[in-house]
Amino acid sequence: MNIYQNIQSSIERREKLLAVLIDPEKIDLNTIASFFKKVHQSIATHIFVGGSTDIDFLTEKTVVAIKKTTHLPVLLFPGDVQQITSKADGILFLSLLSGRNPTYLIEQQIQSVPFLKNTDLEIISTGYLLIDGGVKTAVQNVSNTKPILQKNSELIVNTALAGAFLGSKLIYLEAGSGAKTPVKKEIISVVKKEINIPLIVGGGIRSKKQLDDAYNSGADLVVIGTAFEQNEDFFNELKKDKRPFHSKTKDERL
Ligand code: 1GP
């Protein structure tokens, strides 16, 4: 079964998913073994690798080191075409739908095709929405696009739905790495109500409570990077025996 089908079956089983985001510019490869010991004791189900930039081309080296250490699926979450390597299991093929910069809507994607078509990476089309997280984040700086304000829920929903109509297999609500305010519960639940594809939420989630809030509002997969980078003890609060489940099905929420 491929990664996407596994995500779908987890959702059917009412399991919640957690991706640990590893930024190749921030992780010290010598610490990968000890870092992953903690990852494996936790409820983490996926590893995302990526960052807004990768000036020193560290992505491939990082993915190779991670693949030696884990059996969890490793998905590229690239900031640009330079961050693609065939060594991962799959790639979130992102289009920054909240922005109006053609480079991140379609240009980078076209540039990646000659490489991607010769790899075995599972390509997962992902509608990517940058939502205001209270601080100017790297995604905003690098993509030169404006995030959608959280008060503008109608625009967020319509953008997510446009992604679904265009054929995205996932929708990713992104408050940006290190966001002050994660995507609000109300936004997650209103988007989840409208779409029939798995929903990813990330950016600024630093506590078990914020994680549970995201799950209970309808996030199927939550992405956490900064909180683990800054405090590996956070993994202890997310031990495997405490794996969270969907509180309500989509139909129950309606
Ligand atoms: C950023 O959504 C991810 O792209 C995770 O954000 O680093 O704030 O956890 P944090």
Side-chain angles (χ1 to χ4, degrees), residues 178-192:
K180 207 162 90 186
T181 323
V183 180
K184 292 195 171 128
K185 295 188 275 182
E186 301 73 34
I187 301 290
I188 298 172
S189 70
V190 77
V191 170
K192 184 63 189 174

Side-chain angles (χ1 to χ4, degrees), residues 21 77 128 139 172-179 201-206 223-227 229:
L21 173 63
F77 173 48
Y128 189 50
V139 189
Y172 189 147
L173 299 178
E174 167 73 276
S177 192
V201 174
I205 294 175
R206 295 164 198 279
V223 187
I224 300 181
T226 307
E229 271 162 28

Side-chain angles (χ1 to χ4, degrees), residues 45-99:
T45 54
H46 293 76
I47 305 300
F48 286 3
V49 180
S52 294
T53 56
D54 180 12
I55 294 158
D56 296 322
F57 303 102
L58 299 168
T59 303
E60 182 157 296
K61 233 194 267 177
T62 307
V63 169
V64 170
I66 291 171
K67 286 289 296 169
K68 280 189 194 147
T69 322
T70 189
H71 292 296
L72 294 176
V74 178
L75 282 161
L76 300 174
F77 173 48
D80 61 40
V81 66
Q82 309 278 9
Q83 295 178 37
I84 302 178
T85 162
S86 59
K87 312 285 187 204
D89 300 308
I91 175 169
L92 296 182
F93 199 64
L94 305 164
S95 180
L96 183 56
L97 302 176
S98 55

Side-chain angles (χ1 to χ4, degrees), residues 102-123:
T103 303
Y104 294 94
L105 273 166
I106 189 62
E107 180 59 33
Q108 292 281 325
Q109 293 77 352
I110 294 170
Q111 283 182 28
S112 70
V113 168
F115 181 82
L116 277 181
K117 70 178 185 186
N118 292 314
T119 72
D120 291 328
L121 289 169
E122 182 180 334
I123 299 170

